[in-house]
Amino acid sequence: MTSIDQRVTNFIRENFLFSDQATPLSPTDSLMEAGLIDSTGVLELVAFLEQEFGIVMADAEIVPANLDTIAGIAAYVAGKQSAAKAA
Amino acid sequence: MCGIAGYFGDVQPETKGRALLGAMIGAIRHRGPDGFGVLAEDGVGLAHARLSIIDLAAGAQPMASADGRLEITFNGEIFNYVELRAELVASGHRFLTHSDTEVILELYAAMGPACVERLNGDFAFAIWDRSRRTLFAARDRMGVRPFFHTTRNGVLWFASEVKALLAVPGVSAELDPIALDQIFTFWFPLAPRTAFRDISELPPGHTLIATPSGVSIRRYWALDYPDAADADGLDQRPETVIAGDVRALLEDAARIRLRADVQVGSYLSGGLDSSLVTAMARNEVSERLRTFSVGFESPEYDEAGQQIEMVRALGTEHSSIVCTAADIGRAMPDVIRATERPILRTSPAPLFRLSGLVRDSGFKVVLTGEGADEVFAGYDIFKEAKVRRFAARNPSSAWRPLLLQRLYPYLPRLQNQPQAFLQSFFGRGAEDAGDPLFSHLPRFRTTAGAKLFYSAEMRQNLAGYSAMDELRSLLPERFAKWHPLSQAQYLEAGHLLPGYILSSQGDRVAMAHAVEGRFPFLDHRVVEFASRIPPRLKLRSLREKHILREAAAPLLPKTIANRVKQPYRAPEVAPFVGAAAPPYVADRLAPGAIGASGLFDSVAVGRLTAKVARQGEVGFKDNMAFLGVLTTQLWLDAFAPSAASAQPPAVAAA
C-alpha cells in the first residue's frame, strides 16, 4: 500500500495540478500560495481525505495548518488514523 | 446600428475594391440586414450594412455631405444629434436628411477631428475627406461600438468585426499567444491587442487619422478620478443634492437614448440598474413599454421573481425566455464566432439567446442597465477589496475576515467554506497592499489557474512574459493618487467594461441578432459626474451603489431600490458535461485535437475534463480553465481551422 503522502500527492497532481510536466511538488510547498487550491478547492480536498482515509474532519480541523502542505496533510491524517485505532 | 468596413490605400482596380468591400460587409451582414452600400474610389473604399433606426427613408450610407466633400460610414447613434443639428443649422450648415449620420459629417466639416468631443453617443465611424485626402475614424468614449483595423502592403483595412477583415486576401487568422495569456488572466486582451495576431482594435476614446504619409492614433478622452488627497476634487455638496443631480442626469441620458424612428424596448433583469432604466423609460414613452428578460432553470441563477415584481410595478409588456444548460451548450460555437475570442465564462450565451428573443419580437433597440456597477461601484469585487484592505491593516484580527462571508451570500459553495481558509485566500492582503492591481489580484490569480494547461511549447513561448506586469505598465500616471475604490473602478470601467462586458457580453452577442443596446449609465456626462462623487457615497460601508439607490428611490418600489446586488451569472460547466453534452466538446477536447492545436497539454486537459465530468460542479478556477480551453479550441475551429495541424504560434513582440 502506498504511503499517505504518496496518495495525497497523486490526488493533488490529478485534481489540482493536472499535469506532470510542471514544477515538482514538494511536501512542504504551500498549496494555497502556489495557487493550486482555489477558494472552493479545499472542499474537494476535504471530501477526498474523508473518503480515501475513512476519517471525518471536524470544522475546527479544517485549517491551513492541517491542509496547506502535503506534509501537513499526511501528518494530520496519520494522527487521525492512530487516534481512531487507539479509541 | 450597423456594420462598417473599408480601406485606405491603393487597391486597384476600383472593381476589385468594390468586390472586396462587398465580401467584407457580407461577412458582417448580421449587424445590418436592412440595406447595403459601398463606395470605392481612388485610394479609399467605404462599406456599410444598415440597421435602420433613425430617418428610415433617407439615412442610407455611405453618406455624402451636402457639399459632396465628405463621405461617411457610421455604426452607432449620436444621441444629442437633435441639439447639434440645431446649432449647426443656426450657424449656416445645410442638411439633406434628418439623420444623426449627417450631423457627424457637418460637425466634422465645422470642427475637424475635434468634432468627437461634442458627440454624445455610441459610435464607430470613418469619414473620407476628399479635399484633404484623409481618412478620419473615431470610436466612442466607453467602447460600446467596435472598430478593428490592420495594415497589409500599405493599405489600412478596417471593420466593425474581425471576420470582415478576414475576407481580405492576405489577412488570415492566427491566435496571438500573448492575447491568450491576457485572456487567461483578465478575461480579455489588452487593447489595442486582439486575439488575432497583427489585427488591432482602435481603443475606446481614440481617433485614427490616415493620410498618405501614415496612420496616427490619438486619445481624445480618458476616465479620470480626483486625487484622494484633494478634497476639492470631490463633489462636497450634501448627499441629497448629489442624488438629485444623479437622477436628473440619468433621466436625461435615458430620454435622449429613446430617440429612434423605431420602438425602443428595455432589458429587465429584476435588479436595481435595469429596473431604474426601465422606470425612467416608462415615464418618457407614451405607448406601453416592451421589456425582455432571460431566466435560468436553476434557482441559484434565476431572478424571475424579481422580474415579475418589476413588470407588475411598472406595467410593462414583458417577454422572457428560459436559457437552459442545453441552450448554452448548443449556442457556444455561435457565441465564439460572435465574440471572436476565447471566453472564460458562459455569461455571453444567455445574452445571445436574449437578443434573439428581442429580434423575434420585432425589436431592434433595447435600453440596458449595463455600466451602473462600474460607474457607481456595484460589483462585489469593490466590497471584497475593501474588506481585504481592512483585514490587511490588522492581519492578526480574527473577526475582520468574518466580513468576507457576508460578501457572497448567493454562492452556496462559498458559504460552506471553513473560515480559516477564507481568511487565508482573501487575507494575503498585507503583502499585496502596495500593488496597483490590489483589488483584482484574487480574480486575476484564480483566472490564471487556466495557464496550468498550457503545453510545454506555450510555456516556452511565454517565458518571461507577465500579463499583470503589462497591465501595471499601462495604468495612467495619476492612478497611484486615486482613492482605492477609484483605482478598482478604473480597472473595471476602463478595462473589463470595454474588453469583456460591452464586447463579448454586449455588442457582439446583441448584434449577432441585429439588436442595438443603449446604455444610459454610460452617457459620458454621467460617467464624469460620478467620478467626482466621494467614494464613501458610492460604497457606503458595504452597501454598494449607495448614491444610485438614493437617486433611484423615488422611481422604484422600495424592495427593488434596496435589493442587494445579485450578479448576473449563468451555469458554467454543466452545459458541457454528462449525457446531454454537445458532441463538439468531446471532439474538440480529444487528445488528438488538443495536440494538433499545440496550445495545451493533452494529459492535463484530459484530467480536467474527467474531473469536470465526474463532479459536474467544480470551483471557479476549474470552471474558467475548462471554458478557456474549450472556447480556444472552438475559436481555432471557427477562425483558423488550418491551425489545427500547424505548429504552435511563436510570440509576437509584446
Side-chain angles (χ1 to χ4, degrees), chain A residues 37-53:
Chain A
I37 301 188
D38 74 350
S39 54
T40 55
V42 64
L43 297 179
E44 296 167 20
L45 181 59
V46 170
F48 163 77
L49 295 176
E50 293 190 336
Q51 199 183 339
E52 181 78 9
F53 299 107

Side-chain angles (χ1 to χ4, degrees), chain B residues 149-167:
Chain B
H149 60 98
T150 188
T151 300
R152 291 289 192 283
N153 301 320
V155 179
L156 170 80
W157 302 88
F158 66 87
S160 298
E161 297 182 22
V162 174
K163 45 184 80 70
L165 299 176
L166 297 177

Side-chain angles (χ1 to χ4, degrees), chain B residues 438-510:
Chain B
F438 177 86
S439 56
H440 285 62
L441 288 175
R443 178 194 288 171
F444 293 164
R445 285 172 178 154
T446 303
T447 304
K451 299 178 192 184
L452 277 176
F453 298 91
Y454 285 164
S455 64
E457 296 95 311
M458 265 295 275
R459 283 170 201 274
Q460 207 172 345
N461 279 338
L462 290 166
Y465 175 73
S466 160
M468 284 205 261
D469 279 349
E470 184 168 347
L471 177 55
R472 288 183 189 105
S473 77
L474 293 173
L475 298 174
E477 213 174 299
R478 288 165 41 68
F479 185 89
K481 294 184 173 165
W482 295 339
H483 186 282
L485 180 62
S486 305
Q487 295 178 335
Q489 281 188 277
Y490 176 85
L491 292 175
E492 286 289 308
H495 285 285
L496 187 78
L497 182 68
Y500 179 76
I501 303 284
L502 292 176
S503 46
S504 294
Q505 205 174 285
D507 175 273
R508 256 29 61 77
V509 287

Side-chain angles (χ1 to χ4, degrees), chain B residues 322-499:
Chain B
V322 171
C323 186
T324 65
D327 291 330
I328 292 174
R330 219 172 8 249
M332 196 50 75
D334 288 335
V335 168
I336 296 303
R337 272 188 286 276
T339 61
E340 299 186 330
R341 59 180 58 164
I343 55 178
L344 303 190
R345 314 286 307 272
T346 55
S347 50
L351 289 163
F352 179 82
R353 293 266 297 158
L354 179 57
S355 65
L357 169 70
V358 172
R359 187 191 54 183
D360 293 345
S361 307
F363 276 68
K364 298 175 179 177
V365 184
V366 284
L367 299 177
T368 98
E370 212 69 82
D373 289 320
E374 288 83 356
V375 173
F376 291 99
Y379 286 125
D380 288 321
I381 200 164
F382 301 130
K383 290 194 259 186
E384 181 190 285
K386 190 171 183 175
V387 171
R388 285 171 50 235
R389 266 189 209 284
F390 183 62
R393 281 206 297 273
N394 184 357
S396 61
S397 162
W399 63 268
R400 289 187 185 215
L402 286 172
L403 284 166
L404 289 165
Q405 211 122 37
R406 283 185 51 195
L407 277 178
Y408 301 99
Y410 46 81
L411 291 180
R413 280 175 71 85
L414 206 59
Q415 281 306 297
N416 301 330
Q417 285 289 309
Q419 185 55 41
F421 269 88
L422 269 185
Q423 187 172 353
S424 295
F425 290 121
F426 291 107
R428 290 161 72 181
E431 63 207 73
D432 294 333
D435 193 321
L437 305 181
F438 177 86
S439 56
H440 285 62
L441 288 175
R443 178 194 288 171
F444 293 164
R445 285 172 178 154
T446 303
T447 304
K451 299 178 192 184
L452 277 176
F453 298 91
Y454 285 164
S455 64
E457 296 95 311
M458 265 295 275
R459 283 170 201 274
Q460 207 172 345
N461 279 338
L462 290 166
Y465 175 73
S466 160
M468 284 205 261
D469 279 349
E470 184 168 347
L471 177 55
R472 288 183 189 105
S473 77
L474 293 173
L475 298 174
E477 213 174 299
R478 288 165 41 68
F479 185 89
K481 294 184 173 165
W482 295 339
H483 186 282
L485 180 62
S486 305
Q487 295 178 335
Q489 281 188 277
Y490 176 85
L491 292 175
E492 286 289 308
H495 285 285
L496 187 78
L497 182 68

